[in-house]
């Protein structure tokens, strides 16, 4: 009997959503989901709409796998990130058009817009190029993701991390949107980049909003800025 059915279906749904949302095309992306003692990852060279829960490959952190399908050629990226980052449940790798357009020039995304803070820092780095499926590429990706939830891969694509499939998809859309905005903005010259301390303030404000904590910094209306008794 196939185990982890909910997580397997979530991986399939996430892959279909990647293409539907425009952050991937065809079978070029892959997705993984942490489970106890390992992770689930998409099979290699299989159309998303043909996948069933049984096709999703179960892997251990030692590189062994179960099932009738071979894992994605990028399984090392998924394995190494999930092993190194206990804060991460889902790893999404895709080839979105605008993010890849930056990546083929070896360019990341600076903090030209405050929404860059969603990716965990004051920039979205671009990892150096290495052949797909290699340990070298995985090592580069892991370094570019230090302290971050997203990175680009030179001449390749994008990686985003999340605690759920939905959070990873949402961040992938945000990163692709930022890449598109950055490319358009460059047509008028290099955009103004916000300083690191401003991005840190934005990130903290986003964090408190996410967890429902009140923000008493003058932004709230007068009648809701602080409790009344």
């Amino acid at each position: 009997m196939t185990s982890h059915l909910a997580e397997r279906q979530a991986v399939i749904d996430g892959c279909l959503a990647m293409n539907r949302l425009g952050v991937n095309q065809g079978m070029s992306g892959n997705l993984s989901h942490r489970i106890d003692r390992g992770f689930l990852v998409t099979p290699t060279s299989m159309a998303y709409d043909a996948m069933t829960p049984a096709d999703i490959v179960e892997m251990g952190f030692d590189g062994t796998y179960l099932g009738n399908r071979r894992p994605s050629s990028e399984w090392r990226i998924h394995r190494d990130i999930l092993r190194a980052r206990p804060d991460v449940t889902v790893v999404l790798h895709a080839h979105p058009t605008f993010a890849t357009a930056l990546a083929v020039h070896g360019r990341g995304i600076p903090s030209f817009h405050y929404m860059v803070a969603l990716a965990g820092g004051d920039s979205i780095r671009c990892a150096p190029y290495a052949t797909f499926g290699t340990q070298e590429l995985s090592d580069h990706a892991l370094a570019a993701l230090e302290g971050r939830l997203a990175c680009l891969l030179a001449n390749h694509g994008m990686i985003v991390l999340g605690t759920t499939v939905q959070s990873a998809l949402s961040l992938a859309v945000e990163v692709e949107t930022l890449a598109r905005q950055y490319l358009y903005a460059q047509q008028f010259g290099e955009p103004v980049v916000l300083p690191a301390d401003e991005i840190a303030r934005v990130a903290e404000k986003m964090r408190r909003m996410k967890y429902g904590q009140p923000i008493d910094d003058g932004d709230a209306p007068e009648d809701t800025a602080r409790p009344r008794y």
Side-chain angles (χ1 to χ4, degrees):
M1 182 177 179
T2 303
S3 60
H4 306 290
L5 281 174
E7 291 86 353
R8 290 170 183 270
Q9 188 60 52
V11 169
I12 295 171
D13 293 344
C15 288
L16 293 169
M18 282 197 294
N19 284 6
R20 185 175 69 250
L21 294 170
V23 295
N24 196 62
Q25 307 82 37
M27 300 181 292
S28 59
N30 35 78
L31 188 68
S32 64
H33 196 298
R34 185 190 299 276
I35 56 173
D36 52 315
R37 298 183 301 278
F39 61 100
L40 302 171
V41 67
T42 44
T44 189
S45 304
M46 187 172 187
Y48 300 151
D49 58 4
M51 290 191 300
T52 68
D55 293 314
I56 304 303
V57 182
E58 181 176 343
M59 296 197 71
F61 290 118
D62 60 356
T64 57
Y65 64 93
L66 301 173
N68 298 321
R69 301 282 181 185
R70 290 186 295 115
S72 165
S73 60
E74 301 292 10
W75 65 266
R76 290 175 179 83
I77 285 178
H78 296 272
R79 187 270 310 272
D80 292 350
I81 292 171
L82 290 170
R83 186 166 57 184
R85 296 282 299 268
D87 58 311
V88 171
T89 303
V90 173
V91 178
L92 182 156
H93 168 53
H95 298 173
T97 300
F98 292 95
T100 302
L102 285 173
V104 298
H105 288 282
R107 300 192 64 170
I109 305 174
S111 53
F112 78 104
H113 193 290
Y114 74 88
M115 289 292 277
V116 167
L118 284 174
D122 62 356
S123 67
I124 299 171
R125 304 181 185 112
C126 184
Y129 177 78
T131 306
F132 79 93
T134 61
Q135 187 60 49
E136 183 183 12
L137 178 60
S138 182
D139 293 343
H140 288 332
L142 200 58
L145 285 165
E146 184 176 356
R148 300 287 193 273
L149 295 173
C151 76
L152 307 187
L153 302 175
N155 305 91
H156 191 151
M158 169 177 70
I159 297 173
V160 299
L161 314 179
T163 55
T164 63
V165 170
Q166 186 55 54
S167 68
L169 284 167
S170 295
L171 183 55
V173 170
E174 293 288 355
V175 172
E176 175 67 346
T177 299
L178 286 165
R180 182 171 72 249
Q181 292 168 340
Y182 184 47
L183 282 165
Y184 284 161
Q186 285 181 313
Q187 297 180 43
F188 301 96
E190 194 62 29
V192 173
V193 173
L194 296 171
D197 60 345
E198 172 59 16
I199 297 300
R201 279 191 292 271
V202 168
E204 175 60 16
K205 187 168 184 175
M206 287 177 170
R207 185 190 69 80
R208 287 187 285 161
M209 290 174 66
K210 179 178 179 180
Y211 292 103
Q213 300 175 15
I215 303 173
D216 190 4
D217 60 3
D219 288 346
E222 179 61 31
D223 60 345
T224 59
R226 55 186 60 81
R228 288 186 172 185
Y229 300 96

